[in-house]
Amino acid sequence: MKIQNGASAPALPACPKKAIELFFVTHPKAPKALLGPFLNKEDAACGLVVMRSAEAVVTSSLVDDIDELTRWTGINNGAICRAFAGNGAHHD
């Protein structure tokens, strides 16, 4: 609690952090995600092409924050799936 004008006030950040959405390719027959994380839905859609299964779907998960390893993994996963799906466009 911060003291503001002599009264107690909750300490709130000036600008709340926006949650980060990570994307995954899942399949109903698999207990966990088969591909991911991806940083955007478009890269995850390329993962669907790579999976070649009509039952595979893109799912997402909100997280408060990601570390550098997860961020770089997401970038790398997207680049690899775009290359295998035939979509060489670069996303970050």
Side-chain angles (χ1 to χ4, degrees):
M1 300 281 261
K2 287 185 177 178
I3 302 298
Q4 188 175 20
N5 296 331
S8 293
L12 300 174
C15 181
K17 280 181 115 175
K18 181 181 174 193
I20 298 167
E21 191 170 17
L22 294 175
F23 298 90
F24 302 87
V25 175
T26 60
H27 192 281
K29 293 181 181 176
K32 61 181 184 174
L34 299 175
L35 295 174
F38 297 97
L39 300 181
N40 59 60
K41 196 173 190 176
E42 294 79 15
D43 287 348
C46 289
L48 285 177
V49 173
V50 171
M51 285 302 302
R52 298 181 184 180
S53 172
E55 296 178 19
V57 295
V58 172
T59 59
S60 66
S61 178
L62 291 176
V63 296
D64 291 332
D65 197 16
I66 60 173
D67 58 19
E68 280 300 304
L69 178 61
T70 303
R71 189 173 83 75
W72 283 109
T73 300
I75 290 169
N76 190 48
N77 287 344
I80 290 169
C81 284
R82 285 191 311 274
F84 278 99
N87 181 356
H90 179 68
H91 295 88
D92 276 344

